[in-house]
Amino acid sequence: MSKAGAIDLALGVGGKIEKAEVLSAVEKYEKYHVCYGGEEDERKSNYTDMVNKYYDLVTSFYEFGWGESFHFAPRFKGESLRESIKRHEHFLAMQLGLKPGQKVLDVGCGIGGPLREISRFSLTSITGLNNNEYQITRGKELNRISGVDKTCNFVKADFMKMPFPDNTFDAVYAIEATCHAPDAYGCYKEIYRVLKPGQFFAAYEWCMTSSFDPSNQEHQKIKAEIELGDGLPDIRLTTKCLEALKQAGFEVIWDKDLTEDSPLPWYLPLDTSHFSLSSFRLTAVGRLFTRNMVKALEYVGLAPKGSVRVQDFLEKAAEGLVEGGKKEIFTPMYFFLARKPDSDH
């Protein structure tokens, strides 16, 4: 798992956005969200623009702090964050029953960390679907460096309208990505269409749990912070994801919120009361250091104006995620394994 350095972080902020326009992109992105008076309907109807702006703005921060795989994982005592992330990816591959030579689709693949890991682990060919040009450019470079560029590729497209024929893939997975979809049913229906009959779809979804109380102001504030900091139109309840899967035609094999059995809290890397040398950049000291460094890089013009603002909303998200985790109203790993029936009825 490579870690980008400080200069990579500074030069990467804004992705494909012109450096002079980063600040206005931050302002436009923020306006989509509740904390700034934004409406859910507007986020849903403009989700492509919102999510693209989000990933152009934050990708270099993610890679700097987290590595190549932008997701959480259940974690055992004595296990590093990096080890837990790999194990979480291997678990998904094993649940799908991947076999050498199969064609697999990664829906919302980021810069391809999981795609590279799962491809090497299962000897499969994986197509990463992503609508963000900057992440694809970065992903292609990392595929080349790690030597999987012959078996893995990227396709730039919207996962609500995939450019693949029906029944193309032997397996499909999504890791903390389809939460960006404005409509779970529409997204799952597309996945169903491109998956071969009798094959499996597995995912880790970001969801509000049954403990979430929509009439509780504090719960709503936490939900809004996570939506702002993570580019989400609306965080769905676990039950809504399950309903949408069945409605799309899938048979649900099993589902579970994997945070429930995690020996260490999934949000530990973001909890400022926790210190870790192995994931130093995510600790309170590490984040303060990053903030001051970004401030300095913005001041001297190496990082574009607006970079500190990006870090601010990511900090807000981290606070919301930790609070949501502690109150058990939010999970980043609602897992399900679903199967497309052998023949459509």
Side-chain angles (χ1 to χ4, degrees), residues 179-235:
C179 48
H180 289 295
D183 158 41
Y185 165 72
C187 179
Y188 296 162
K189 192 75 188 159
E190 266 297 85
I191 289 168
Y192 184 93
R193 181 183 68 75
V194 302
L195 182 63
K196 289 178 183 174
Q199 300 303 102
F200 295 93
F201 165 45
Y204 295 127
E205 280 283 11
W206 280 36
C207 291
M208 303 314 289
T209 69
S210 54
S211 304
F212 173 71
D213 175 7
S215 61
N216 181 315
Q217 285 305 108
E218 193 186 1
H219 286 195
Q220 286 288 8
K221 178 178 175 284
I222 290 167
K223 179 175 179 277
E225 281 176 355
I226 299 171
E227 286 166 351
L228 164 70
D230 294 282
L232 305 175
D234 177 41
I235 308 173

Side-chain angles (χ1 to χ4, degrees), residues 92-99 101-107 118 122 124-127 162 167-174 191-192 194-202 250 337-338 340:
L92 194 73
M94 291 179 78
Q95 288 301 311
L96 285 167
L98 298 184
K99 293 176 182 60
Q102 284 188 324
K103 280 179 65 178
V104 182
L105 179 66
D106 178 332
V107 178
I118 291 172
S122 59
T124 49
S125 297
I126 306 184
T127 297
M162 296 189 204
N167 312 323
T168 298
F169 295 97
D170 298 305
V172 180
Y173 68 84
I191 289 168
Y192 184 93
V194 302
L195 182 63
K196 289 178 183 174
Q199 300 303 102
F200 295 93
F201 165 45
F250 284 105
L337 178 67
K340 178 174 177 174

Side-chain angles (χ1 to χ4, degrees), residues 30-156:
E30 287 174 341
K31 284 193 175 78
Y32 279 122
H33 289 275
V34 173
C35 314
Y36 294 85
E39 296 291 333
E40 184 188 319
D41 286 349
E42 194 175 341
R43 288 197 298 281
K44 284 184 173 175
S45 55
N46 294 294
Y47 76 95
T48 305
D49 180 60
M50 182 187 78
V51 175
N52 250 320
K53 276 196 173 49
Y54 174 74
Y55 279 113
D56 272 339
L57 294 169
V58 306
T59 294
S60 64
F61 279 96
Y62 271 19
E63 201 177 341
F64 180 76
W66 216 256
E68 292 175 32
S69 292
F70 306 159
H71 63 81
F72 293 99
R75 198 161 151 201
F76 290 93
K77 293 185 170 106
E79 186 177 44
S80 70
L81 176 64
R82 180 180 173 173
E83 287 166 344
S84 70
I85 281 174
K86 285 192 172 196
R87 184 174 47 72
H88 201 46
E89 292 165 357
H90 296 173
F91 175 82
L92 194 73
M94 291 179 78
Q95 288 301 311
L96 285 167
L98 298 184
K99 293 176 182 60
Q102 284 188 324
K103 280 179 65 178
V104 182
L105 179 66
D106 178 332
V107 178
C109 61
I111 60 171
L115 169 157
R116 286 182 285 280
E117 186 61 37
I118 291 172
S119 169
R120 288 185 296 232
F121 178 73
S122 59
L123 305 177
T124 49
S125 297
I126 306 184
T127 297
L129 187 76
N130 190 331
N131 213 10
N132 183 270
E133 198 180 322
Y134 174 64
Q135 286 199 333
I136 287 179
T137 305
R138 184 77 186 118
K140 281 180 177 171
E141 186 187 345
L142 292 168
N143 274 10
R144 191 179 45 73
I145 292 166
S146 61
V148 298
D149 49 326
K150 302 285 186 289
T151 51
C152 297
N153 68 316
F154 293 93
V155 171
K156 185 182 184 306

Side-chain angles (χ1 to χ4, degrees), residues 130-323:
N130 190 331
N131 213 10
N132 183 270
E133 198 180 322
Y134 174 64
Q135 286 199 333
I136 287 179
T137 305
R138 184 77 186 118
K140 281 180 177 171
E141 186 187 345
L142 292 168
N143 274 10
R144 191 179 45 73
I145 292 166
S146 61
V148 298
D149 49 326
K150 302 285 186 289
T151 51
C152 297
N153 68 316
F154 293 93
V155 171
K156 185 182 184 306
D158 180 352
F159 53 42
M160 303 298 284
K161 301 183 280 283
M162 296 189 204
F164 308 115
D166 296 1
N167 312 323
T168 298
F169 295 97
D170 298 305
V172 180
Y173 68 84
I175 299 178
E176 302 183 18
T178 42
C179 48
H180 289 295
D183 158 41
Y185 165 72
C187 179
Y188 296 162
K189 192 75 188 159
E190 266 297 85
I191 289 168
Y192 184 93
R193 181 183 68 75
V194 302
L195 182 63
K196 289 178 183 174
Q199 300 303 102
F200 295 93
F201 165 45
Y204 295 127
E205 280 283 11
W206 280 36
C207 291
M208 303 314 289
T209 69
S210 54
S211 304
F212 173 71
D213 175 7
S215 61
N216 181 315
Q217 285 305 108
E218 193 186 1
H219 286 195
Q220 286 288 8
K221 178 178 175 284
I222 290 167
K223 179 175 179 277
E225 281 176 355
I226 299 171
E227 286 166 351
L228 164 70
D230 294 282
L232 305 175
D234 177 41
I235 308 173
R236 292 176 272 276
L237 286 163
T238 52
T239 49
K240 292 288 176 205
C241 286
L242 207 57
E243 274 170 31
L245 268 177
K246 290 172 182 171
Q247 196 188 350
F250 284 105
E251 298 166 354
V252 179
I253 308 298
W254 73 282
D255 69 297
K256 185 176 172 61
D257 176 1
L258 298 184
T259 63
E260 292 168 8
D261 296 336
S262 180
L264 292 175
W266 62 267
Y267 52 81
L268 197 65
L270 297 178
D271 191 344
T272 50
S273 62
H274 170 73
F275 184 80
S276 157
L277 274 176
S278 66
S279 47
F280 172 74
R281 291 176 179 180
L282 297 170
T283 62
V285 182
R287 273 146 61 179
L288 181 66
F289 170 78
T290 304
R291 185 183 168 77
N292 287 332
M293 180 189 70
V294 171
K295 218 172 181 170
L297 291 168
E298 186 175 314
Y299 181 75
V300 297
L302 267 176
K305 283 198 179 351
S307 298
V308 175
R309 284 270 286 276
V310 175
Q311 199 184 359
D312 284 344
F313 69 64
L314 287 174
E315 281 292 327
K316 237 342 163 215
E319 287 164 23
L321 288 164
V322 171
E323 281 308 301

